[in-house]
Amino acid sequence: MKLVKMNVNGSDVAAEVEENTLLVDFLRDNIKLTGTHVGCDTSQCGACVIHMDGQAVKSCSILAIQAEEKRITTIEGLANGGELHPVQKAFQNNHALQCGFCTPGMVMSAVDLLDKKPNPSDEEIREWLEGNICRCTGYQNIIKAIKEAV
Amino acid sequence: MYNFNYHKPKTVDQAVELMNSCDDPKILSGGHTMVPTLKQRLAQPSDIVDISNIGGLSNISLEENGSRLNIGSLSTHYNVSNSDTVIQKIPSLAYLASQIGDPQVRYRGTIGGSVANADPSADYPAALLALNATIVTNNAKYQAEDFFVDMFQTPLSENEIITNILFDIPVTGAYVKFRNPASGYAMVGVFVAKYNSSVIVAVTGAGPKAFRLSEAEELLTKSFDVNSLSELKIESDGLNSDIHASSEYRAHLVKVSLQDAVKIALK
Ligand SMILES: Cc1cc2nc3c(=O)[nH]c(=O)nc-3n(C[C@H](O)[C@H](O)[C@H](O)COP(=O)(O)OP(=O)(O)OC[C@H]3O[C@@H](n4cnc5c(N)ncnc54)[C@H](O)[C@@H]3O)c2cc1C
Ligand code: FES
Ligand code: FES
């Protein structure tokens, strides 16, 4: 067991976990933030995407101890009090989700995209979402939402 | 996932010393091959040695009077694809890095991890062969042509750490990848590099390891244009055949990708 500390959504958190604990399990089970999902065991679906030191990464493919001392933002940390993040609002406006399982990861990837490329083309948006799989929407409204959030 | 002891050494020497004292240690850098492997219980190391905190392994610089490009082993695919030095000196290499996996994988995966893993469908092996790379470790140097021995096999010994990789800088070059739509890895990837008096063509994804195409190299050395390749025949014998593509299809993709690569290199 190891005591692992990090900053999650602005608060310092710590938990005693086994070395083999994944970051996603640390967030869901130890910190009780269940907005971050697990959709696969092959690192391909992107349901688990969070931000680590300002980069969108797959928390299912990172050990919690690798995130020691890092700054983590999860989907729960995006809204400003009661005010949704512009990307969240745009997803709502554009019906960019159906079952919602992929949505936290999609939103976290989209926020990172707009951070790195403030004015992406359709093609750049599609390429950026390569690692986020949605089995419901057919992606059209997700693209629309991200364009609205620009 | 089986459990393990975890260490995060600060220097290469510390890491090597530590590994020498462990039963069955494994190096961890970006973890985007290692963690999925652990999750599937395909490996059961006694100790994980996380090298991501070792200083000085993520530099990108020009060496040997500007004649070679040096990339530190901890450089992520994201950093290689966005490095001004790489974009200026070997744009085809920056492009290759930008085609690996997806953005999240590129933030974490490192060149050292990819090269050490020697996955036959990984992208970097094609670049290392075509750019006459030298793989530098804590105690040896390898030429790329001696490095990719077989599927997932390299001459690296158990506790050897890749520190950096040196590349020749071609006059022009290009990488063309036909990606597997499910995994993102290369079904076929062709890297062509043109130097003052020679051409190197390297192929990944198509066979059990990355390899050079000497016949195409001769044709392109005589005349570097697409027409030189019209008579080129790629044999399917020995190429991979699986549910994604037959060996004949892969052979076809090699030729088409090479033609495209030459066109791009000439632009
Ligand atoms: C969804 C997904 C898609 C991907 N798509 C592609 C793709 O299209 N093309 C592609 O090429 N790759 C792809 N990859 C692989 C990705 O590029 C990996 O990041 C890379 O292969 C390994 O780098 P790493 O830093 O993550 O290494 P790790 O996972 O940390 O380590 C990999 C192996 O190398 C060893 N190792 C690591 N660093 C060193 C070092 N410095 N010296 C010696 N040994 C070392 C480790 O012990 C381990 O055996 C994909 C991965 C995922 C999860
Ligand atoms: S859970 Fe599917 S990529 Fe992380
Ligand atoms: S909304 Fe159901 S998976 Fe995307």
Side-chain angles (χ1 to χ4, degrees):
Chain A
M1 299 281 269
K2 271 223 160 108
L3 182 69
V4 176
K5 297 183 222 159
M6 62 188 82
N7 184 288
V8 180
N9 300 331
S11 309
D12 289 331
V13 300
E16 183 100 4
V17 294
E18 293 288 353
E19 286 77 356
N20 64 0
T21 305
L22 294 170
L23 178 56
V24 68
D25 295 329
F26 180 88
L27 294 170
R28 289 177 57 87
D29 301 342
N30 295 93
I31 311 301
K32 308 289 182 208
L33 292 175
T34 53
T36 303
H37 293 166
V38 176
C40 73
D41 60 4
T42 52
S43 313
Q44 283 174 311
C45 76
C48 62
V49 172
I50 52 118
H51 294 180
M52 182 158 84
D53 288 348
Q55 296 184 325
V57 294
K58 293 178 171 174
S59 61
C60 73
S61 303
I62 298 173
L63 300 170
I65 19 180
Q66 286 179 284
E68 173 85 15
E69 303 294 343
K70 307 257 190 222
R71 188 168 44 84
I72 305 291
T73 307
T74 69
I75 188 73
E76 290 92 342
L78 273 192
N80 186 359
E83 178 78 8
L84 288 183
H85 185 281
V87 173
Q88 290 175 306
K89 231 184 267 166
F91 267 61
Q92 191 180 45
N93 290 346
N94 290 281
H95 196 65
L97 59 147
Q98 289 178 26
C99 79
F101 198 83
C102 70
T103 313
M106 284 287 177
V107 169
M108 296 312 281
S109 288
V111 170
D112 182 47
L113 165 66
L114 298 181
D115 187 35
K116 306 288 159 6
K117 279 193 190 138
N119 212 342
S121 65
D122 276 28
E123 202 184 328
E124 282 171 327
I125 297 175
R126 286 176 191 278
E127 271 179 12
W128 198 271
L129 296 182
E130 176 70 39
N132 291 88
I133 294 174
C134 175
R135 54 181 188 170
C136 302
T137 64
Y139 302 96
Q140 296 302 85
N141 288 352
I142 294 176
I143 313 292
K144 227 166 96 191
I146 296 173
K147 288 183 76 158
E148 184 183 289
V150 164
Chain B
M1 199 186 310
Y2 299 108
N3 214 353
F4 43 76
N5 303 308
Y6 175 86
H7 317 269
K8 205 167 190 173
K10 290 224 163 62
T11 67
V12 171
D13 289 346
Q14 268 178 23
V16 173
E17 200 175 311
L18 201 106
M19 285 194 285
N20 287 337
S21 71
C22 299
D23 251 5
D24 182 18
K26 274 271 177 322
I27 298 168
L28 180 75
S29 41
H32 269 48
T33 293
M34 198 64 219
V35 174
T37 307
L38 291 169
K39 278 163 71 174
Q40 311 271 356
R41 293 197 170 189
L42 294 173
Q44 192 176 5
S46 63
D47 295 78
I48 285 285
V49 179
D50 183 345
I51 61 170
S52 66
N53 241 15
I54 297 181
L57 297 188
S58 40
N59 301 340
I60 297 181
S61 57
L62 291 175
E63 301 287 325
E64 301 175 25
N65 298 322
S67 68
R68 300 193 91 193
L69 177 68
N70 174 55
I71 301 186
S73 63
L74 287 181
S75 304
T76 60
H77 310 328
Y78 178 79
N79 287 346
V80 172
S81 65
N82 285 287
S83 149
D84 289 336
T85 312
V86 182
I87 292 171
Q88 219 178 53
K89 291 294 169 182
I90 318 184
S92 46
L93 184 61
Y95 171 77
L96 175 145
S98 79
Q99 297 302 299
I100 297 175
D102 54 51
Q104 294 82 28
V105 169
R106 294 195 288 273
Y107 279 136
R108 299 290 303 160
T110 67
I111 191 169
S114 176
V115 170
N117 197 47
D119 188 313
S121 2
D123 295 289
Y124 272 125
L128 266 68
L129 286 178
L131 301 171
N132 278 320
T134 310
I135 297 113
V136 185
T137 73
N138 57 302
N139 60 14
K141 284 184 183 177
Y142 305 93
Q143 280 309 117
E145 59 198 49
D146 307 320
F147 192 80
F148 299 105
V149 179
D150 205 344
M151 220 183 263
F152 301 107
Q153 273 180 33
T154 70
L156 289 177
S157 60
E158 282 286 295
N159 302 338
E160 199 171 351
I161 299 178
I162 299 178
T163 55
N164 57 299
I165 299 168
L166 289 155
F167 294 91
D168 282 358
I169 300 173
V171 179
T172 182
Y175 179 64
V176 169
K177 171 180 187 176
F178 191 95
R179 59 191 289 140
N180 178 320
S183 75
Y185 280 87
M187 204 119 89
V188 162
V190 176
F191 204 116
V192 59
K194 183 184 183 316
Y195 299 90
N196 281 328
S197 53
S198 63
V199 173
I200 303 184
V201 176
V203 179
T204 191
K209 61 172 182 168
F211 58 91
R212 282 173 59 172
L213 269 185
S214 46
E215 198 188 334
E217 290 176 358
E218 278 164 32
L219 294 168
L220 290 170
T221 301
K222 276 187 213 136
S223 166
F224 194 77
D225 63 73
V226 181
N227 295 335
S228 326
L229 299 171
S230 52
E231 299 297 308
L232 177 71
K233 183 124 183 38
I234 310 288
E235 292 299 335
S236 60
D237 285 356
L239 296 190
N240 296 344
S241 195
D242 51 37
I243 54 165
H244 307 295
S246 65
S247 52
E248 291 79 12
Y249 182 49
R250 279 197 168 83
H252 175 75
L253 285 177
V254 169
K255 178 155 178 182
V256 176
S257 304
L258 173 58
Q259 287 169 328
D260 287 351
V262 170
K263 280 183 214 157
I264 295 168
L266 283 168
K267 264 192 204 149

